[in-house]
Amino acid sequence: QSVLTQPPSVSGAPGQRVTISCTGSDSNIGGGSDVHWYQQLPGAAPRVLIYGNTHRPSGVSDRFSASKSGASASLTINGLQAEDEADYYCQAYDRGPSGPEFFGTGTRVTVL
Amino acid sequence: QVQLQGSDPRLVRPSETLSLTCTVSGGSINSNYWAWIRQPPGKGLEYIGYIYYTGGGTTYNPSLKSRATLSVDTSRNQFSLKLNSVTAADTALYYCAVGWGNSKGTYFDPWGQGTLVTVSS
């Protein structure tokens, strides 16, 4: 079982803003670990959207942003588009017995 | 831009050893971390482990540590995963990826296309 919990699904209409949460604990996010976010389009390999909590690689739309507070993090998609329909995963280093690296449970984003 | 090419799909019999290789192009394997991540059908991502080129150190998912072995072949610009005593629960899409790490953790980018491994008799 994952130590990083995400909502199974979120949805929104085109143009709306959606936010995906990633809840951890003191052994990972709350303990200072960086949070990274991945997008997995249907039938494709994951790609990094955000690394180091807030950094967006070149080529990733500025509609994607992320933040971290305490033992939780969130990914926000502004101006939702049909092409954003995908699975999203957070990932962080965990200092507990189940570590070191852990992926969140994953969130399916549906564009209505 | 580094690109990763994984092995062809594999059918492995229960209790046997799974062997996968990832070939690195567009860059050198003499840097970074080299990682394996898997995804069972219809499920989420599971970290397997990574190997640092420098010193050949490794980290593993504790749940797989006793069965997994990672290695690097610098002469072929390849890195490999061996997983022994496989069961049906090891059926998954296996991804290789480049790891970028620091004291606060490691992220993975880019990823290979994934190799489907089916464990069945």
Side-chain angles (χ1 to χ4, degrees), chain B residues 25-64:
Chain B
S25 61
S28 173
I29 205 166
N30 296 327
S31 62
N32 296 105
Y33 305 166
W34 304 97
W36 292 92
I37 298 143
R38 70 181 184 179
Q39 185 171 36
K43 296 188 178 181
L45 301 171
E46 180 182 32
Y47 166 78
I48 297 173
Y50 60 73
I51 183 168
Y52 327 120
Y53 166 70
T54 305
T58 54
T59 74
Y60 293 97
N61 182 329
S63 69
L64 298 171

Side-chain angles (χ1 to χ4, degrees), chain B:
Chain B
Q1 178 78 358
V2 172
Q3 293 186 312
L4 304 177
Q5 178 67 45
S7 306
D8 291 333
R10 300 291 169 85
L11 174 62
V12 185
R13 299 189 187 283
S15 80
E16 294 187 343
T17 296
L18 160 68
S19 295
L20 297 176
T21 296
C22 189
T23 301
V24 180
S25 61
S28 173
I29 205 166
N30 296 327
S31 62
N32 296 105
Y33 305 166
W34 304 97
W36 292 92
I37 298 143
R38 70 181 184 179
Q39 185 171 36
K43 296 188 178 181
L45 301 171
E46 180 182 32
Y47 166 78
I48 297 173
Y50 60 73
I51 183 168
Y52 327 120
Y53 166 70
T54 305
T58 54
T59 74
Y60 293 97
N61 182 329
S63 69
L64 298 171
K65 184 175 182 178
S66 63
R67 299 193 293 127
T69 302
L70 303 184
S71 60
V72 169
D73 184 341
T74 57
S75 65
R76 297 186 175 190
N77 237 30
Q78 294 178 333
F79 59 106
S80 300
L81 164 70
K82 290 187 186 298
L83 187 66
N84 60 36
S85 305
V86 298
T87 70
D90 294 311
T91 292
L93 199 53
Y94 284 73
Y95 293 102
C96 53
V98 181
W100 303 83
N102 60 29
S103 61
K104 296 184 178 181
T106 299
Y107 70 94
F108 306 104
D109 177 65
W111 298 48
Q113 85 281 13
T115 295
L116 180 61
V117 173
T118 304
V119 179
S120 174
S121 56

Side-chain angles (χ1 to χ4, degrees), chain A residues 33-107:
Chain A
S33 295
D34 282 345
V35 181
H36 319 292
W37 291 91
Y38 301 85
Q39 177 193 58
Q40 185 176 30
L41 295 169
R47 67 158 181 160
V48 66
L49 277 183
I50 300 286
Y51 66 93
N53 303 316
T54 59
H55 302 282
R56 206 172 38 245
S58 61
V60 173
S61 171
D62 60 5
R63 296 185 298 103
F64 295 95
S65 63
S67 64
K68 170 186 162 183
S69 177
S72 295
S74 61
L75 174 73
T76 297
I77 310 174
N78 289 296
L80 194 64
Q81 298 181 1
E83 66 201 48
D84 300 330
E85 193 159 280
D87 293 325
Y88 294 82
Y89 295 90
C90 60
Q91 179 239 322
Y93 174 83
D94 187 271
R95 293 164 178 76
S98 299
E101 301 291 346
F102 245 103
F103 289 93
T105 49
T107 299

